[in-house]
Amino acid sequence: MTPFDANPLALCAVLRGPAECLHYRVPESCRSLDLVGRRVVVPLGYREAVAVVVAVEKNLSWHLKKDALKDLRLVVDEAPLLPQDLMRLCQWMSRYYFQPLPSVLEAVLPSSLLARPQKWYRLTEEGRQRLQGAARLEGKNPGAQALEAAFLAREERRPKDFESLPKGWKAHLKRLESLGWVVRHDVWPRLEPSTKTQKIVVLRSLLDEKRISASPHLRRFLTVLQDSGGTCSLSDLRRQVPQTSYWVRKLTAEGAVTVEEREVLRESPLAQDLEHHVAVALTPEQQAAVNTMLGSVLSPSFQPFVLYGVTGSGKTEIYLQLAQKTVNQGRTVLVLVPEIALSTQLEAQFRARFGEALAVWHSGLASGVRDDQWKKITSGRTSVVLGVRSAVLSPIRNLGLIVVDEEHDLTYKQEERLRYHARDVAVMRARIADVPVVLGSATPSLQSFHHGSTGRYTLVTLRKRVEDRPLPHIHIVDMRRHRGPFRVLSPELVQALEETFQDSGQAMLFLNRRGFASFFLCRTCGAVRQCPHCAVSLTYHQSLERVLCHYCGHEEAVPGVCSVCGKGLMVPFGFGTERVEEELHRAFPQIKTLRMDRDTMTCSSKVVQTLDAFRSRKAHVLVGTQMITKGHDFPHVTLVGVISADTSLQISDFRSGETTAQLLMQVAGRAGRGDRPGRVVLQTYNPHHHVIQAAAALDYDQFCEHELAFRRALQYPPFTRMARVLVTGAHGDVTAHAAAVLGRIGRAVKVALETQGMALAILGPAPAPIQKLKKRYRYNLYVKAWKAEDLQAAMEKILEHAAQEAIMSSVQVTVDRDPVSSL
C-alpha cells in the first residue's frame, strides 16, 4: 500500500451498475462530510449514476492511478441514509450469499430511491442556424426530415418523442451529434421519496359570541376546529361543515384563521379490525418466559432466544411486553412476520399498543405510503418497525430488539436474485448491533430447535394455552377406504361440518393446492397437458374456464381432444381449493364460504377484507392454502379440516417431512382458540407415516427427535452446511454441458481443499426436479461442508475457476446458500 496524497477516495457501490465497487476522488467541498452510507452521483462512462459510499480510504493499492480517477459529482443525502450496523450487515450478506454489494444495497433501498437519469437531446444554437434555411431538406430521407422538424419545433427532446418518426431518424441523430449540432444530456428525476402535503386550517383568534350564535354554520365550523385542538385539515372540515370554503375565505381575510400547507405522513391502511387490545396479566408461564429474556433487553447484548410455545400460548403478548420494555429504554424494536396476511393482524395489535410510533414495511403498501414509512424509519420517529422479509434490511437506528415471528416459515427465504434468509440475516444483524433476537414459533425450524437443544440458542418453552384451554382433538381419516364422491370431503368431515354449523361454530378447510383440477389427462394415451415453457402440468381454473401455469403465468383454453394422439378427450384430474369450495356448496347449499389463495387474494386490502369478514362471522367456512395456516386468531373456529395431509409430504426434498409437520400442526392450532374446544379432521392416504402420527398427537418434540436422527445419519443440515448452485440456460445441451463443467471444477476444488484438512462433498450435477422453467433449462449442483468457513472457501474457489471457463458465459450460475427448496 502506498499513500495517495492527502486526497481521500470514496469506494462506491454503483446502483444498477457494475458488480464491483469503484473508487472516486472526494472533492475538497465534501471532505468534511461523513460520506459512508450516503447516496452520491458519480460519472460512469458517458453517463452519470447513483451510488452509495461504502468506505472512504486514504491509502490505495499501487495499481490505482490518481489521474485516471474521477470526482464525485454530487452528494444527494444531507445525512447518512444507512446506519453503520446496516452497512456492515450488507457487506456480510455480500460475502455470505455470494452477491455483489451493489445488488445487496439495491435490495435495501426502496425503488423510489434507485433513480436513473432520463436521456434528453438538445439542439444547440449552431445546430439551429444550420438546420434553418430552404436547402436543409434536400436529399434527406423522411426520417431525417422529420427529426430536424421536431428539433426546430422544440429544442429539448426525449428519445420516446422520436419513436413515431419514419425509418432513418436514428442514423441521422448520430450524425447530428457528431457534428455538434445536437448534444445529449441526463436529466435526473426526483432523488427523494414522494411527499404528500395537506391544507391545514389554524384558528388564530376567537370571534364575538353574538356573531357565532347568529350563524349555525359558523358555530359548527368553530366547534369542529376547537375540538381538533385549533388545527384541522381543510378536507375534514369540508366533510363535517356546510359552506366551509366560504367561512375559510371570510375568516382568513379577517385574520381569524390561516391556511397552511403541511407535510403529512401516510400510514398503512391494512390493519385488521380487531377488538381493542390491551395489556393483559401474564400467566406464570408467560411471565417466566419474559423474565428469562428481560435481562438481555434491559442491558442490551447479543443473545438468540427460541420462544417455543404451542399454538394459543400467548407468544404475541410476550412480544408486546418485551417491545414495551425496549421502547421504555429509548430503543427501537424490529418485528418480522412471514406474510402480509399475518402482518395485518399484528399491525392491529401493535398499533393499539404503540399508536403512531409504529412503522409498517411490506410490498402491499402503496408507493406513497412506503415512501412515508421509509422517511418515518430513517428519521427515527418510530419506536417499532413491523414488516415482512425485506424489513430486516430497513435503516433502523438505535436498534434494541429483534423479533422473528413464525421463524420456521419458508417464506422468509428470498428465492430470486438476492437469495437470503430473513431469519438468519436477523440473527446476524442482532449480533452486529449487539442486541437480543427472539425466534418465535409453535413449530420451530429444525435448525433453531437443534440450536436451542444444544445450548447455542436459549430455549424458552410455553407448554400451555392461555386460560388453560385444551389443545384440539385430532381425528385421522384413512382416505384409502373412500372412493368416488368422497375423495374431497370424507363422510367424517361432512358430519363434523354439520355438527359445527348446528353448534353455531365456524370451520377452516386447508388444502395447499389452488385451482379446480391439478391437470388434464388423456384417457386414451395417458398424455398430460403441460406448459410449453415449463416442465409442469397446467392447472384447471373453473371460474376462469382456462388452464394456467402457476410458475410462468401461461394460460390456454380448456383442452378438448388430445393433441398427442388426436383421439381421446382430455379429462381433469386432481383437485384444489376451488374444487373444495364447490363441493362445500354442493353438500351445504345454505352456508357461506370465503376462499383465500393467490387466485382470490389479488391485493393486500382483499386479504384484510376477507379476514375481517370471517372474524365478524359473515361466512361459515374459510377455505384456503397455507395463507390460513399460521398466526390467525379466530375465536369462533371450532373445526379445522385438512383435505389432503400428504400434499407436501411427497415433494422430492429432504425437508418435506419438516414442512408437512409444521403445516399440519400450525393449521390444527387454529381450532379451539375461544371458549369452546376445537377438533381437527385430518384426511390422509398415509395414516401410519411418522409425520402424520406426530401431527395427530401434536407432539412436535417427538417429530424433531425422529427427524434430527434421520438428518444426522444422512449428514443433512443442521449437521452440515449446504449451498445449491443452480445452472440455467436457454438451450438444454449447452446448459447440461456447463453444469458438467461446473461439476468437474467442484470435484477438483474438493480434492485440493481436502489436502488442507477441509471436509467437503460434491453432489451432482443433476437436472432440477422442475427441469424447465420459464423457457430455461435447470441443473442443480450441491456443495456440502461440515463447517461454514469451509463452505465459504470452497464456493469462492469454484466461482473463481468457473469464471475462467468460456462455456459459463452461455448460462447463468446462481448460488443459493442454505437452500430451503430443491425445485
Side-chain angles (χ1 to χ4, degrees), residues 580-595:
V580 173
E581 191 175 29
E582 182 183 88
E583 293 288 335
L584 265 175
H585 290 155
R586 186 177 301 165
F588 305 99
Q590 75 283 6
I591 62 107
K592 295 181 180 178
T593 63
L594 292 169
R595 179 158 56 94

Side-chain angles (χ1 to χ4, degrees), residues 83 85-86 89 296-297 299-301 326-327 329-336 377 382-385 391-403 425-437:
D85 69 307
L86 183 54
L89 180 71
S296 296
V297 171
S299 299
S301 60
T326 306
V327 171
Q329 295 285 105
R331 303 175 76 89
T332 308
V333 181
L334 171 62
V335 182
L336 298 180
I377 295 169
T382 181
S383 300
V384 180
V385 177
V392 74
L393 302 176
S394 53
I396 299 171
R397 303 181 189 279
N398 200 23
L399 186 63
L401 171 67
I402 300 178
V403 174
V425 173
V427 172
M428 179 53 65
R429 184 164 190 181
R431 180 187 292 275
I432 292 172
D434 199 22
V435 299
V437 55

Side-chain angles (χ1 to χ4, degrees), residues 592-658:
K592 295 181 180 178
T593 63
L594 292 169
R595 179 158 56 94
M596 283 190 69
D597 53 32
R598 290 181 62 185
D599 298 321
T600 57
M601 300 297 103
T602 52
C603 62
S604 300
S605 59
K606 184 77 172 177
V607 172
V608 176
Q609 292 168 10
T610 302
L611 294 173
D612 282 343
F614 188 62
R615 180 173 287 104
S616 60
R617 310 188 73 176
K618 293 179 181 178
H620 302 87
V621 184
L622 178 62
V623 180
T625 56
Q626 62 181 1
M627 283 185 176
I628 69 171
T629 60
K630 48 191 172 286
H632 302 297
D633 192 353
F634 301 115
H636 302 291
V637 170
T638 56
L639 172 67
V640 167
V642 179
I643 303 301
S644 177
D646 314 313
T647 302
S648 56
L649 196 59
Q650 309 307 326
I651 297 175
S652 57
D653 188 276
F654 73 90
R655 285 190 172 89
S656 61
E658 178 183 2

